[in-house]
Each structure stands twice: as structure tokens, then as C-alpha cells.
Amino acid sequence: MKYYVGIDIGGTKINVGILNGENELIANKVAPIPEDKSCHSVLEVAADTLCLLLEEQGIEKRYVFSVGIGVPGTVSSDCRVASFVPNLGWRDEPVADIFKGLTGFPARVLQDSRAGAYGEYKAGSGKGSNALICITLGTGIGTGLVIDGKIYHGALLSAGELGHIPVAEQGRPCGCGKQGCLECYAAGKGLDQTAKEFYGGDATARDLFEAAEKGDEDAHFAINQAINMLGKVIVSAINLLSPDCLIFSGGLSAQTELYLKPLVQYIREHSYKTEGQRELKIALAQWKENAPMVGAAIFGKENTVGRKPMLSASVMCADQLNMAEELEALTDAGIDLFHVDVMDGHFVPNYMIPPEMVKAMSKVSKIPLDIHLMVDNPDMAIDMLPLRSYDIVTVHFETSRHIERTLSLIRAKGAKVGLAINPGTPLSAISELVNSIDMLLVMTVNPGYAGQKLVNGAFDKIKRARKMLDDAGRTDVILEVDGNCSFENIPKMYEAGADVFVVGTSSVFHKDYTYETATQKVLDSLK
């Protein structure tokens, strides 16, 4: 099982969460920002919190694939450096490198509002939209844009700063160094200032809303003035970008009657709309305060360079009469997946593990089954398999006349979808299918038997397969190789771009090693 970590670093707290491969939140833990707000100190707290959370959930570090970190400030174009985080006083801090040094996990950094928008786009209220604006109404105003499936950063990396659009000439001073910015009037800190001007002392936005609820006309007027300012800016953004989804999050969005409903009404009344145009979806963030953490995790998952290598043990090489004990021993050795070859004697010249045996294995296996169908009728075999959501079923491109339909059968049963190609099959043959799969399996021997030598051009084909996936924007697709994954070949395969290695008699099942020592030998070669 793979897990993906999201970390949202705010002005006062750090929210650390763990997602599974389905973008479901497993658990999260919140810690306060330390008194020493230096980058290293804050990341140390984040790292300690993550380690504690993993321990509480019983998740081993080797199953953590990536980390995404959201920060309240500007981030470099390579998503590694926090260029400027004013609330914490950070400038040009190498966040990704520091965190990797503390934990060993590869990380990517993202501005928190954009992380929130991406979380809602991928797994929240904005799922299925084409262009999304997510506005966080909190102490300030944060805005994230997702257009055509990609976070929009802008050429100058400052897209979405709606909170710093000027709305009042020679107005209130803003933390950005300008005057009269929108968030100085329509966000939490702006309404705090308004309350102080009305009531003096330590009055806050809460006092302003409470007064309005009691019928105070001045409070109503001040809140409506803020709504009109914010509404005009949002309408301008809608008219400019023509999104199909607008999402609100943050503490102020909880002020439904006095703030959010009038704001939505203003937006609907003033936004440009043509006859027959479908309605703009306006919704609250499904993930609420967790949206930036969830979005950071998904962003890290999709953009982390330097993938974590995984070993898939070919159980055809195990002792077939003691399979349960073998699976337990391999799991204890640190194997990530069990590679289960199902062969019918037609597509390949061998017979192997039948569906009934696969069913028995799924009952005792604590880790995912990597089921490799080398059969002439994969549709029938898929129907016979007992599958779990984290199992992978791989079919050969060469076995199905209607391969897209076959892949959809796997998806319908709730498992991960894999596609395999033989050494003689060109990558161009499957270029149209990369958006339908979770894993691509490149055969580096002709399928059917263990112990074969690599075919010519194997390493180059792995490299070209990785490039094909990356060029298609499918950096999240796992690249597996099967065939002579030996102690010597695995480092070269990894360098070429492979993620998962089907290990058999030339490595983990090598007669001169125990499963544990052989597994460690492979992992040591990849450090």
C-alpha cells in the first residue's frame, strides 16, 4: 500500500495528514507553530508530527511515497523553495531539501491557497470542473486557480492574489506594503479593523457580526460594504476567467446568513452570463480547513521526482506447498507487492497460479496483489478474481481486441488498472491508453518462464516508456518491469525510470540469500 503525505503550514499551526492512493484521508494531526518560527524549526515540528502520526496509524516509512507541503507565501517555479513567507519571516528557504534531510522523504512545495484549490478540484467540491476558483476567506483572502486540470501560477508566480487588489484610494495600509487592498476591508483582519473603528478597544469581527445579528444598522452597513467590495472583485475574476466552479473556504464562509448568502447573491446578480450558458457552480469547500493539506498531498503525489522503488515478489518462484508461510516471510522481509502470474498455457507456454489460488492468497496477504494476467481471455479471468481496492490487475495489450473495454472491467471491480506489453510490442501501440491505466508493465523478457536473460534494448525501452508517460502528464502512473530483475540490473532499470521491479530467482529468490538479506541487498543498491 502506498501513502501520500500532505502538510499545511499556517501562521499558527501545522496540519499533517496521510492520504491513500484513492485520495482518501486516513488520518491527520495538528501541531502548533513553535515560538522559533525559523524554517528549520517549523519543519522539525512537521517531521516529528508526521513520524508520530505514522506510528499511531501503524504505517511503516517505506510505504510513504511522497510529501507535499503547503506554505502561506510565494514558492519557486521548481516547487522546492519558499521564496517569501511574510507571516513566518522566511525568504528563499529550501523547504523540500530541508524536509528530505529531516525525514528522507521527497517533497514538493506549493502555495497554500493553490493547494486548497487543487484539493477541492481533485477530490472535493470542484471534482469534474474544467476551471475552478477557490477563495479562502480567513484572516486574509487567499485564492487558488485550477484551469484545464492544472494549477495556474502565472508567469510571475503570483496569480490569484485577489486579496491585494486595491479597492480604496489611500486606504488602510496592507502587509504587502501597499494601501487599500481588498483584504484590509473584506477579510478577517479588515473586519477586525472596522470593528475597532466602530466600537473601539479590542473589538473584533465577531463583535461586528454579533451586533448585526442584534439589528445594529451601522454593523449591517459595514458588513454589506465589505461584501460589495469582495463581490465586485470576484465578479471581475469570473468575467475574466469564465470558471464553471467557485468554491469558498475559511472561517468567514461560516458566516452564512450575514456574509456568504449576500455575497453569493451579489455574484449571481452581477456576473456576465449569456443566454443558454450553464449555471456557475458555487459551493463550500468539501475538505474545509483540511483542503490545503489534502491538495498538497495530491500535488506531491503527482509531482514528486525520484520515485520510491518498490519490489513485487514473483510468487511463482516461492514454495507452492507452503504459500501462506512464504507470503508472511516475504512481507516481513520488506516486499511491497506480490506478483501473481496467471497463465493459461495458450498466450504463454506455461500454466500457473489459478484464480482459486489467488482467492486464497487474498485472504492472507497483508499487502497488495500484483496480478499479471497472461491469458487469451482476460475478461473471463477478471470476472473470476476476488479483488481489493489496492490490488492491481494487469492485462496484456496483445490479448484483447477491445482493450479499453477490458481495462474498464478491472476498474469496475474496484482494483487498480495495469497494462502490459511484450518486448516486441512498440510503445506507440499503447499511447492512446495512458489515461486509462494506473500502471504500465514493460516485459524485459518474453513472458512465461522465470530465469530468462534480458531482451536487447530493454533499458532503452524502459526509458522511453517513462518519457511517454511523463510527456502525457501521467507522472502518477507506476512503471513496472518484469524479467531478469537481478541485483545487477535493478539499479539500471531504476535509473531508466522504472518504479516497481518483479523480483524472482535472480534477486529476492536467489538460492544464496534469505528473503530478508536479498531484499536489503536490492534496496541498498538503489540508495
Side-chain angles (χ1 to χ4, degrees):
M1 178 68 76
K2 284 187 174 183
Y3 296 97
Y4 308 91
V5 170
I7 300 174
D8 176 26
I9 296 174
T12 59
K13 62 184 180 180
I14 304 166
N15 188 9
V16 180
I18 302 171
L19 272 63
N20 63 16
E22 301 294 327
N23 294 335
E24 297 168 334
L25 182 60
I26 303 299
N28 72 299
K29 199 173 192 66
V30 176
I33 291 285
E35 288 187 17
D36 176 7
K37 295 183 179 180
S38 68
C39 182
H40 199 280
S41 295
V42 171
L43 292 178
E44 276 186 334
V45 172
D48 291 343
T49 305
L50 172 57
C51 290
L52 184 59
L53 185 59
L54 291 172
E55 184 179 339
E56 290 175 354
Q57 296 300 312
I59 297 173
E60 296 181 33
K61 284 187 174 182
R62 62 193 175 98
Y63 293 125
V64 174
F65 182 73
S66 64
V67 175
I69 303 174
V71 298
T74 309
V75 174
S76 63
S77 58
D78 64 358
C79 302
R80 301 180 65 83
V81 176
S83 305
F84 180 45
V85 182
N87 290 340
L88 298 176
W90 298 0
R91 283 191 179 275
D92 299 323
E93 294 287 356
V95 173
D97 291 342
I98 292 173
F99 196 80
K100 187 174 183 180
L102 290 169
T103 64
F105 297 137
R108 283 295 176 268
V109 189
L110 182 64
Q111 196 251 13
D112 56 356
S113 295
R114 294 171 191 168
Y118 202 56
E120 291 297 323
Y121 169 77
K122 279 288 190 174
S125 298
K127 197 170 183 180
S129 61
N130 293 315
L132 174 148
I133 301 176
C134 183
I135 300 176
T136 302
L137 301 174
T139 304
I141 296 175
T143 309
L145 307 173
V146 180
I147 300 174
D148 294 332
K150 296 182 179 179
I151 298 171
Y152 185 70
H153 302 277
L156 303 179
L157 306 181
S158 57
E161 292 292 352
L162 296 190
H164 295 290
I165 291 177
V167 294
E169 285 291 331
Q170 302 300 314
R172 295 170 180 171
C174 182
C176 72
K178 310 295 183 182
Q179 286 181 287
C181 292
L182 176 65
E183 66 179 36
C184 294
Y185 296 90
K189 66 179 181 181
L191 291 170
D192 284 344
Q193 181 62 35
T194 300
K196 287 178 174 62
E197 292 174 0
F198 273 48
Y199 308 115
D202 297 325
T204 65
R206 177 175 294 181
D207 298 312
L208 195 66
F209 281 106
E210 287 178 355
E213 287 175 356
K214 295 175 182 177
D216 186 320
E217 292 185 5
D218 289 338
H220 263 294
F221 176 81
I223 292 170
N224 287 335
Q225 189 177 41
I227 290 170
N228 287 342
M229 287 179 174
L230 179 58
K232 286 177 182 178
V233 169
I234 294 175
V235 167
S236 298
I238 291 171
N239 291 351
L240 178 66
L241 298 173
S242 187
D244 55 354
C245 186
L246 173 65
I247 294 174
F248 289 106
S249 65
L252 269 180
S253 64
Q255 290 288 349
T256 306
E257 296 300 323
L258 288 171
Y259 204 81
L260 192 62
K261 281 187 177 180
L263 176 61
V264 170
Q265 182 179 347
Y266 184 98
I267 292 167
R268 292 212 180 277
E269 288 178 355
H270 292 85
S271 296
Y272 179 80
K273 184 178 181 182
T274 59
E275 186 176 348
Q277 179 179 315
R278 61 192 173 98
E279 193 77 5
L280 168 67
K281 177 181 178 180
I282 302 179
L284 287 172
Q286 176 181 315
W287 288 106
K288 299 180 181 178
E289 68 275 5
N290 285 328
M293 175 265 289
V294 170
I298 297 173
F299 182 79
K301 168 185 172 182
E302 296 179 349
N303 293 276
T304 295
V305 177
R307 298 171 179 84
K308 179 180 174 66
M310 300 177 70
L311 304 184
S312 187
S314 180
V315 295
M316 68 182 290
C317 303
D319 181 352
Q320 304 296 299
L321 295 179
N322 296 286
M323 187 59 76
E325 292 83 357
E326 290 282 84
L327 298 184
E328 184 176 1
L330 288 163
T331 302
D332 291 342
I335 290 297
D336 301 288
L337 308 159
F338 292 133
H339 192 83
V340 185
D341 290 310
V342 179
M343 298 183 272
D344 62 0
H346 295 279
F347 178 63
V348 292
N350 198 358
Y351 294 90
M352 246 305 153
I353 301 170
E356 285 301 315
M357 183 63 167
V358 179
K359 184 176 182 179
M361 291 175 62
S362 69
K363 291 180 179 179
V364 298
S365 171
K366 298 176 183 177
I367 61 178
L369 299 183
D370 177 14
I371 304 168
H372 184 185
L373 298 181
M374 291 180 274
V375 297
D376 275 334
N377 191 346
D379 292 13
M380 183 179 73
I382 292 165
D383 189 54
M384 297 171 67
L385 293 172
L387 299 175
R388 303 166 297 184
S389 62
Y390 48 86
D391 291 331
I392 306 169
V393 179
T394 299
V395 296
H396 271 262
F397 170 80
E398 302 86 356
T399 62
S400 180
R401 184 172 296 176
H402 304 291
I403 188 66
E404 190 80 54
R405 183 183 301 161
T406 301
L407 298 177
S408 69
L409 290 176
I410 301 171
R411 187 81 67 192
K413 290 201 71 172
K416 304 289 188 184
V417 179
L419 179 65
I421 55 172
N422 284 334
T425 301
L427 289 167
S428 58
I430 62 163
S431 61
E432 298 293 323
L433 298 168
V434 295
N435 288 319
S436 301
I437 61 176
D438 300 302
M439 184 174 80
L440 175 61
L441 170 55
V442 174
M443 294 298 304
T444 48
V445 300
N446 287 298
Y449 294 103
Q452 300 183 66
K453 292 183 178 181
L454 285 180
V455 297
N456 292 331
F459 298 117
D460 179 65
K461 191 168 188 178
I462 295 168
K463 187 179 295 185
R464 288 185 289 112
R466 181 78 269 164
K467 186 176 187 304
M468 178 188 72
L469 293 171
D470 290 348
D471 288 348
R474 293 306 313 272
T475 55
D476 56 323
V477 172
I478 299 167
L479 180 56
E480 185 178 45
V481 289
D482 185 0
N484 199 359
C485 293
S486 64
F487 293 124
E488 296 76 22
N489 288 332
I490 288 176
K492 300 174 187 176
M493 293 169 168
Y494 182 60
E495 184 177 355
D499 304 302
V500 183
F501 310 92
V502 180
V503 287
T505 55
S506 58
S507 52
V508 168
F509 291 91
H510 196 287
K511 60 183 178 61
D512 295 335
Y513 296 88
T514 65
Y515 292 157
E516 186 175 358
T517 55
T519 298
Q520 194 58 50
K521 180 177 173 67
V522 172
L523 295 177
D524 287 344
S525 72
L526 298 174
K527 289 182 178 178

